[in-house]
Amino acid sequence: MDIPRIFNITESAHRIHNPITPEKLATLGAALRLESGARVLDLGSGSGEMLCTWARDHGVIGIGIDMSQLFTEQAKLRAEELGVADQVKFIHGDAVGFVSDEKVSVAACVGATWIAGGVAGTIELLARSLRTGGIILIGEPYWRQLPPTEDVAMSLKWFWLTRTTGTDTRQPNGSPCVVGLKPIPTTSSRKMFEPT
């Protein structure tokens, strides 16, 4: 089990796999008033940056689940790098239907609500792991302005995935990135998918 190869290629150097900054992750951790020892579940944890930095900065403990074997290994290395490997555990697996054995204070899914069929399904799934009084955290990228066509939307998504790697990757259909795509969008079009 693994995510499509293209995501491993285009995002292999990413610590955060969503359009969010380390500063915003830190602000979010502070806003949640995370306490030392609080349990956090992160479905679709990617390379583990959120869980690892919160373990370092707030003393949380937790589990991250991700389908990418590469990202899961990167998360484990990041936990070691930050000295929190004894606080967090990363599992290579399918987060679909995953429920924590122990109830958690924060049940999170940032950028991966597809695992439960959308936001409503993800809320239901996360609630099954949540302790009484806990917090469900869902984050999802969204269009700041709708693109004019589906072709433009796909080109913009592809641009977002490849712009930070600088590599000649392949599209999901296997063709080279430079073949079959619309020209790179203008600066104003790029902003439709850029983080704020």
Side-chain angles (χ1 to χ4, degrees):
M1 163 194 351
D2 209 338
I3 60 173
R5 183 172 175 265
I6 189 61
F7 295 108
N8 283 329
I9 294 170
T10 59
E11 298 188 37
S12 63
H14 294 192
R15 281 203 173 144
I16 302 172
H17 299 275
N18 291 295
I20 190 170
T21 64
E23 295 78 19
K24 288 182 180 180
L25 277 182
T27 299
L28 181 58
L32 291 172
R33 296 185 177 138
L34 297 169
E35 296 179 1
S36 182
R39 291 191 176 282
V40 177
L41 172 65
D42 187 7
L43 300 184
S45 55
S47 294
E49 190 70 4
M50 182 175 80
L51 197 51
C52 288
T53 56
W54 287 0
R56 177 196 65 199
D57 298 342
H58 303 284
V60 303
I61 56 177
I63 296 175
I65 316 293
D66 201 275
M67 283 182 65
S68 169
Q69 187 168 356
L70 172 65
F71 299 163
T72 302
E73 291 306 314
Q74 289 176 332
K76 291 175 183 177
L77 291 173
R78 184 65 169 152
E80 291 175 15
E81 178 185 338
L82 295 182
V84 296
D86 61 334
Q87 295 168 248
V88 294
K89 176 181 178 183
F90 292 98
I91 300 170
H92 170 237
D94 193 347
V96 174
F98 183 87
V99 176
S100 177
D101 291 337
E102 297 184 57
K103 297 295 185 183
V104 299
S105 297
V106 178
C109 180
V110 179
T113 59
W114 52 267
I115 65 171
V119 173
T122 302
I123 290 170
E124 290 176 19
L125 175 59
L126 293 173
R128 294 170 57 198
S129 296
L130 198 64
R131 70 167 177 77
T132 302
I135 296 171
I136 290 177
L137 172 63
I138 294 179
E140 202 67 354
Y142 63 93
W143 293 108
R144 293 172 66 195
Q145 175 184 348
L146 288 177
T149 67
E150 184 64 25
D151 285 345
V152 171
M154 293 309 293
S155 294
L156 289 168
K157 286 180 186 179
W158 199 254
F159 172 78
W160 176 256
L161 289 172
T162 60
R163 78 179 187 89
T164 57
T165 64
T167 58
D168 181 19
T169 59
R170 299 200 170 271
Q171 298 181 51
N173 67 7
S175 62
C177 188
V178 294
V179 176
L181 278 181
K182 303 283 184 198
I184 292 177
T186 64
T187 302
S188 60
S189 296
R190 287 181 191 166
K191 291 184 178 176
M192 286 194 286
F193 202 66
E194 298 258 332
T196 56

